[in-house]
Amino acid sequence: MSDDQTPTYVEKGKEFQRDTTYVSDRITRDARTPEHGPTDGRMWPVEAGRYRLVAAKACPWANRAIIVRGLLGLEDVVSLGMPGPTHDARSWTFDLDPGGKDPVLGIERLQEAYLARFPDYERGITVPAMVEESSGELVTNDFPWITHDLFHEWRDFHRADAPDLWPAEVREEMEEVMQRVFTEVNNGVYRCGFAGSQEAYDEAYQRLWTALDWLEERLTDRRYLMGSAITEADVRLFTTLARFDAVYHGHFKCNRNKLTEMPALWGYARDLFQTPGFGETIDFDQIKAHYYVVHTDINPSGIVPAGPDPAVWHTPHGRESLG
């Protein structure tokens, strides 16, 4: 980050490297030590009404937490705070709320929750973040484990018809699929957009489209990534696909073709978008404002494009016959 409060993302001559060091605390049933995932942080107990999920609609990593919370029926159990789409180098801000403050936490910047817990916190202020409402302190910002634990640890609060997002019979393969989706697609578009050299960009571009072609083939004869039912893997892929034509195709130079030109992936993306719990979490105006305004090193003019027309997301997808 720069000293003038303008976020910088592109390092000239370098490949983009995502900082994946997060606050590894977990929220678990009875504050138990879980069988999977990081256990080096503090364990917090699952408790209805204790925590607030802070997640901006603009951010794909936060978007997945919003979707999972809704699919599982946890809206009345874990509250939701939603920062606006733009931020400076310091923090996400609650500029969409009256008075520019989160109505529950009473803070203007998410940074305040991080500093309440860690006064000398020097890493990036990221969403999603789980915050304890009573203390206003950050609990965790470890995004893949937030959604994992919403499913595995909060089961007592799931609605009766909540989907099985982590089916045991396909879990091993699903972990492999999600890892490839993360490295090559979720993070792959960022490696293209934030490449600091032609060589870094060319390699990132090739890796991204190799993975997208693999997904196109995989989804040609199956409705969802793991078969006939929606899983966590679909949530993780969807948030990138939803942003592809609006942002990644042009802004991040992922422009071999548009999502709308890949029949299986485009049908799959619309299928999910039209499924309750998915499309209503997508705000294309916020998404475009975030990327085109915040990334001044890529788009110094700050001009936000008018298109594409979001109405195409509501057109028939025809994938019901796949299961």
Side-chain angles (χ1 to χ4, degrees), residues 176-211:
E176 295 174 357
V177 169
M178 291 193 301
Q179 180 63 22
R180 186 171 183 183
V181 166
F182 169 70
T183 59
E184 307 305 293
V185 181
N186 299 147
N187 198 46
V189 293
Y190 285 84
R191 280 203 311 272
C192 290
F194 296 152
S197 72
Q198 187 67 50
E199 292 75 18
Y201 167 76
D202 290 343
E203 180 183 356
Y205 180 92
Q206 183 62 44
R207 285 178 60 179
L208 170 67
W209 286 105
T210 296

Side-chain angles (χ1 to χ4, degrees), residues 7 61 73 105 116 193 206 245 285 296 311:
W61 317 98
L105 301 175
Q206 183 62 44
D245 286 2
D285 288 337
T296 55

Side-chain angles (χ1 to χ4, degrees), residues 57-68:
K57 277 190 172 183
C59 170
W61 317 98
N63 192 177
R64 63 170 67 171
I66 298 172
I67 292 172
V68 168

Side-chain angles (χ1 to χ4, degrees), residues 229-247:
I230 292 171
T231 65
E232 170 91 7
D234 299 298
V235 176
R236 296 186 178 195
L237 177 57
F238 171 75
T239 57
T240 295
L241 297 183
R243 288 157 176 76
F244 198 88
D245 286 2
V247 175

Side-chain angles (χ1 to χ4, degrees), residues 104-148:
V104 172
L105 301 175
I107 58 177
E108 296 180 352
R109 292 175 173 274
L110 179 56
Q111 181 187 45
E112 295 174 54
Y114 278 68
L115 296 179
R117 175 86 187 278
F118 304 105
D120 298 323
Y121 193 84
E122 296 181 345
R123 310 189 80 86
I125 308 299
T126 62
V127 290
M130 294 289 273
V131 178
E132 185 180 39
E133 291 188 2
S134 61
S135 66
E137 295 183 0
L138 173 75
V139 174
T140 180
N141 64 342
D142 200 345
F143 69 91
W145 294 101
I146 288 176
T147 55
H148 175 281

Side-chain angles (χ1 to χ4, degrees), residues 50-322:
R50 180 169 178 174
Y51 307 101
R52 188 162 179 80
L53 170 64
V54 178
K57 277 190 172 183
C59 170
W61 317 98
N63 192 177
R64 63 170 67 171
I66 298 172
I67 292 172
V68 168
R69 170 181 173 269
L71 291 177
L72 299 177
L74 295 173
E75 295 95 329
D76 295 330
V77 179
V78 178
S79 67
L80 179 63
M82 304 186 78
T86 59
H87 62 79
D88 57 23
R90 289 172 59 193
S91 178
W92 293 85
T93 56
F94 295 96
D95 46 281
L96 299 180
D97 291 309
K101 290 187 176 183
D102 179 271
V104 172
L105 301 175
I107 58 177
E108 296 180 352
R109 292 175 173 274
L110 179 56
Q111 181 187 45
E112 295 174 54
Y114 278 68
L115 296 179
R117 175 86 187 278
F118 304 105
D120 298 323
Y121 193 84
E122 296 181 345
R123 310 189 80 86
I125 308 299
T126 62
V127 290
M130 294 289 273
V131 178
E132 185 180 39
E133 291 188 2
S134 61
S135 66
E137 295 183 0
L138 173 75
V139 174
T140 180
N141 64 342
D142 200 345
F143 69 91
W145 294 101
I146 288 176
T147 55
H148 175 281
D149 291 345
L150 285 177
F151 178 79
H152 289 282
E153 304 297 332
W154 292 78
R155 286 176 181 267
D156 291 343
F157 297 97
H158 291 184
R159 69 166 187 260
D161 62 344
D164 183 359
L165 297 178
W166 293 77
E169 63 273 15
V170 297
R171 193 169 300 172
E172 184 175 351
E173 182 189 5
M174 190 175 86
E175 294 276 10
E176 295 174 357
V177 169
M178 291 193 301
Q179 180 63 22
R180 186 171 183 183
V181 166
F182 169 70
T183 59
E184 307 305 293
V185 181
N186 299 147
N187 198 46
V189 293
Y190 285 84
R191 280 203 311 272
C192 290
F194 296 152
S197 72
Q198 187 67 50
E199 292 75 18
Y201 167 76
D202 290 343
E203 180 183 356
Y205 180 92
Q206 183 62 44
R207 285 178 60 179
L208 170 67
W209 286 105
T210 296
L212 288 173
D213 287 339
W214 163 69
L215 288 166
E216 175 74 7
E217 181 178 357
R218 183 179 182 91
L219 289 164
T220 295
D221 58 0
R222 66 177 78 196
R223 188 167 183 180
Y224 306 113
L225 282 174
M226 303 313 302
S228 60
I230 292 171
T231 65
E232 170 91 7
D234 299 298
V235 176
R236 296 186 178 195
L237 177 57
F238 171 75
T239 57
T240 295
L241 297 183
R243 288 157 176 76
F244 198 88
D245 286 2
V247 175
Y248 303 142
H249 178 270
H251 184 60
F252 276 179
K253 306 179 183 68
C254 303
N255 62 351
R256 191 192 75 179
N257 53 257
K258 297 177 181 177
L259 178 65
T260 55
E261 296 166 345
M262 303 186 78
L265 272 170
W266 175 226
Y268 164 82
R270 279 177 293 156
D271 190 0
L272 289 174
F273 185 91
Q274 294 169 30
T275 298
F278 285 83
E280 61 265 35
T281 72
I282 301 298
D283 187 316
F284 289 108
D285 288 337
Q286 288 196 38
I287 288 169
K288 289 189 294 183
H290 170 65
Y291 286 91
Y292 286 100
V293 173
V294 172
H295 300 160
T296 55
D297 43 356
I298 299 176
N299 186 41
S301 71
I303 294 172
V304 179
D309 184 355
V312 297
W313 283 90
H314 298 278
T315 57
H317 54 75
R319 290 180 62 84
E320 298 89 347
S321 61
L322 295 176

